[in-house]
Amino acid sequence: MKDYEFTFNATTGAGGETVTCKMSYERDEHGTFFENIEDVTYEGISIMGLLIDEQYSELEMVGIMKLATHLKEESDRAQEP
């Protein structure tokens, strides 16, 4: 298996601040698995150690949904004539 990387923006915290997340995942013919957020940055500074479990879980769910959308759009573009 090959590890892949996906970067996305999401909001978190009481102020709804925009953060950049880097997610790694594996992929085979059945889809993606082992999705895991490797790093979360705010204005270029890693804030992984500052996130509470709920924030991390929310960001992971957002990332999985955005990854699925990204891969579907990528597949659709590949099938265009």
Side-chain angles (χ1 to χ4, degrees), residues 5-9 20-23 25 66-67 70:
E5 211 172 78
F6 177 64
T7 302
F8 64 95
N9 292 326
T20 301
C21 304
K22 182 170 67 170
M23 176 180 273
Y25 63 99
K66 286 188 176 200
L67 175 60
H70 169 76

Side-chain angles (χ1 to χ4, degrees), residues 3 5 8-9 12 15-16 20-21 25 28-29 31 40 44-46 48 51 53 56 62 64 70-71 73 76 78 81:
D3 285 341
E5 211 172 78
F8 64 95
N9 292 326
T12 191
T20 301
C21 304
Y25 63 99
D28 64 12
E29 64 274 0
V40 179
I45 300 169
S46 178
M48 277 294 286
L51 297 175
D53 290 343
Y56 182 83
V62 169
I64 290 170
H70 169 76
L71 292 175
E73 289 171 353
D76 292 346

